[in-house]
Amino acid sequence: MRKFILFVVCMFGFVSVYNADCGYKELKDLNILASYVKYSYEYNEQTGLFDVVLINVPKELYVVLDVTPFSSDNNTIRIPGFREGQEAKLDIYSSKEALCVTQYLRVITVRIPYLNKYFGSEDCNGHETLEVCTNRFLHYELSKNTFNKLLRDDDLRKAQKEKEEKEKQENPKVTVIDIFTDYAKEYWLPVLLVILSSAITFTLCNAIYRKVKHGF
């Protein structure tokens, strides 16, 4: 029992000495490094599973999935074997290369998408703008019933749009300008022509009268 207690005391003493240079600035720098860690996923055609790829992982950091640690190689960590739709938490710690050893820094929640088996299928012909036809990976599991409903809804939207376009062509929208123009043609233009012709006639007659009266 005494040996065990002595061992524990020695271990804590060693950790304290080992982390003697670990201060606020060092922890702050490590947290900044951890904040730059990003992840992406790649689908493995052979296994039917996903690989998670972490970038910007310097030697001062390592990642733990469940209880398995992963160290970086050229600032990159690749973790295989994720199922579609799986959610996992990746804990980031400082490594022995850092002044602050084994400090928990942050967690990254990884969400693996679902493989869209209808992507590129013949059913998508004519529905190229739908998300379920343009994206190979989706953030939700797509059932056959949901897929068919989305196709039907798309057909209905297109049919409604075509109907509205046809109605516009057959019954063009009458604007205020159109009404004003038609009104002017029907009422103002004839009156204006009468006024203009009368003015011209009056001017000519007046000129002839003056010439006869005054002799010039």
Side-chain angles (χ1 to χ4, degrees):
M1 184 66 180
R2 290 181 180 179
K3 291 183 179 179
F4 176 75
I5 294 174
L6 181 62
F7 173 76
V8 172
V9 171
C10 290
M11 284 298 297
F12 275 100
F14 174 74
V15 171
S16 298
V17 172
Y18 199 73
N19 285 340
D21 295 328
C22 176
Y24 173 78
K25 181 181 181 303
E26 288 72 25
L27 282 174
K28 180 180 177 182
D29 291 342
L30 285 170
N31 276 284
I32 292 174
L33 288 177
S35 68
Y36 285 106
V37 176
K38 306 296 180 184
Y39 86 90
S40 61
Y41 51 80
E42 297 177 2
Y43 182 68
N44 190 317
E45 299 287 350
Q46 296 180 343
T47 64
L49 300 174
F50 289 82
D51 293 349
V52 169
V53 181
L54 296 133
I55 60 173
N56 302 328
V57 188
K59 63 181 180 179
E60 291 84 2
L61 306 178
Y62 72 96
V63 173
V64 175
L65 173 61
D66 295 331
V67 293
T68 306
F70 296 88
S71 300
S72 65
D73 182 14
N74 293 326
N75 290 349
T76 302
I77 294 177
R78 178 180 290 271
I79 307 176
F82 289 85
R83 303 180 309 277
E84 58 177 325
Q86 181 179 350
E87 181 174 306
K89 295 185 182 300
L90 303 178
D91 295 310
I92 301 178
Y93 290 86
S94 59
S95 71
K96 63 181 181 180
E97 300 293 337
L99 292 176
C100 301
V101 181
T102 319
Q103 291 287 331
Y104 173 77
L105 301 173
R106 64 174 288 213
V107 61
I108 294 179
T109 301
V110 174
R111 294 180 175 88
I112 303 300
Y114 291 90
L115 184 65
N116 180 12
K117 59 185 177 182
Y118 303 106
F119 171 76
S121 65
E122 293 183 357
D123 293 332
C124 282
N125 293 338
H127 302 279
E128 287 77 8
T129 59
L130 287 180
E131 179 189 36
V132 293
C133 289
T134 57
N135 294 342
R136 190 183 184 192
F137 304 107
L138 300 170
H139 292 293
Y140 54 90
E141 190 170 10
L142 182 63
S143 67
K144 181 64 175 177
N145 289 337
T146 301
F147 177 69
N148 289 335
K149 183 180 183 304
L150 291 172
L151 295 185
R152 289 195 300 270
D153 290 345
D154 191 43
D155 287 333
L156 290 174
R157 282 193 298 269
K158 289 179 179 178
Q160 181 64 27
K161 186 176 180 180
E162 290 178 1
K163 180 181 178 181
E164 291 174 356
E165 292 294 334
K166 186 177 180 180
E167 289 177 351
K168 286 181 181 180
Q169 293 176 0
E170 295 177 350
N171 304 296
K173 185 177 180 181
V174 179
T175 64
V176 175
I177 296 177
D178 293 333
I179 296 174
F180 179 81
T181 303
D182 293 340
Y183 185 83
K185 287 179 180 179
E186 185 174 356
Y187 299 102
W188 291 1
L189 188 58
V191 174
L192 184 61
L193 290 175
V194 171
I195 294 173
L196 287 175
S197 61
S198 299
I200 294 171
T201 302
F202 175 78
T203 302
L204 291 174
C205 291
N206 188 47
I208 294 171
Y209 173 76
R210 289 177 60 188
K211 186 174 182 181
V212 171
K213 182 178 181 180
H214 299 288
F216 59 87

